[in-house]
Amino acid sequence: MDFNASLRKAVKTGTVFLGRNKTQESIEEGKAKLVVVARNSPESVKNLVNEIDVPVYVYEGSSVQLGKACGMPYVVSALAVVEPGESDILNAARV
């Protein structure tokens, strides 16, 4: 599985919330099926994902690289996949 390709497809065809605040909201509302955090995420983001019952995938790149993988021109420290669309990204949680 190519995680970057799966992520980009999920962003284009599914429902993905980018950023710490939107990720936290989707977790609290019970909508997140997968949370992805960048390796260099701030401690506040890392603390958030330590306390949840949702699968978490730690992206090995930086938040700049995670943003680029999403096709966005800005940094993304965390994101929540609510609906994967045509992507197989939920399989990343099983890796």
Side-chain angles (χ1 to χ4, degrees):
M1 175 181 133
D2 179 5
F3 184 80
N4 286 350
S6 295
L7 178 59
R8 186 162 291 189
K9 188 175 269 190
V11 169
K12 287 183 179 182
T13 65
T15 304
V16 178
F17 294 116
L18 305 176
R20 188 188 71 81
N21 293 337
K22 287 289 192 180
T23 298
Q24 185 172 0
E25 284 176 28
S26 66
I27 292 167
E28 290 170 356
E29 293 171 0
K31 294 180 179 179
K33 293 181 181 171
L34 174 69
V35 172
V36 179
V37 294
R39 178 182 36 80
N40 68 336
S41 294
E43 286 301 315
S44 62
V45 174
K46 291 177 182 175
N47 292 338
L48 168 71
V49 299
N50 286 335
E51 304 168 3
I52 63 173
D53 293 329
V54 176
V56 176
Y57 180 88
V58 178
Y59 186 76
E60 287 303 314
S62 68
S63 54
V64 171
Q65 292 167 320
L66 182 56
K68 287 181 182 179
C70 293
M72 303 300 165
Y74 47 83
V75 298
V76 174
S77 61
L79 62 90
V81 177
V82 176
E83 290 297 327
E86 298 172 10
S87 171
D88 63 347
I89 194 157
L90 296 182
N91 292 334
R94 298 183 188 107
V95 174

